[in-house]
Amino acid sequence: MSNVNEIIGKFEKEGSFLIKALQEVQHEEGFVSDESILKISDHFGMKPAEVEGVLSFYAQFKRTKPGKYVISICDGTACHIKGAN
């Protein structure tokens, strides 16, 4: 978790850097944890709910730790045409 402090410490304390900071934290952790939200909100002088609002708005952010294996199943038309069940 100390890496989160290092990551957000690189950014000026302006809200315009919030998304980039969230992206870098997620890249490091694999998701954005509750603890990270508190540290980020403190750094940028925002309420945790404001940071959570940004996280929930953008689909690119994950709030739960991903599993060891990621399984994707295609149920699109192209896969169906190729014979997928």
Side-chain angles (χ1 to χ4, degrees):
M1 191 59 65
S2 62
N3 289 340
V4 172
N5 289 329
E6 293 174 19
I7 292 168
I8 61 177
K10 298 186 297 186
F11 297 99
E12 294 180 32
K13 297 183 178 193
E14 294 179 22
S16 60
F17 293 105
L18 175 63
I19 291 176
K20 185 64 180 165
L22 289 168
Q23 289 170 332
E24 289 198 25
V25 167
Q26 179 168 281
H27 179 74
E28 182 70 27
E29 292 188 319
F31 71 113
V32 182
S33 65
D34 293 338
E35 295 83 17
S36 295
I37 290 175
L38 294 174
K39 290 181 180 190
I40 291 167
S41 65
D42 185 52
H43 178 80
F44 288 105
M46 306 172 87
K47 295 178 183 175
E50 293 174 305
V51 176
E52 183 71 45
V54 172
L55 288 169
S56 65
F57 182 78
Y58 293 101
Q60 66 178 306
F61 295 115
K62 298 177 184 95
R63 287 287 288 119
T64 57
K65 186 173 184 174
K68 183 175 180 180
Y69 301 104
V70 178
I71 299 172
S72 299
I73 299 173
C74 177
D75 63 350
T77 304
C79 294
H80 180 70
I81 290 172
K82 289 185 173 187
N85 293 332

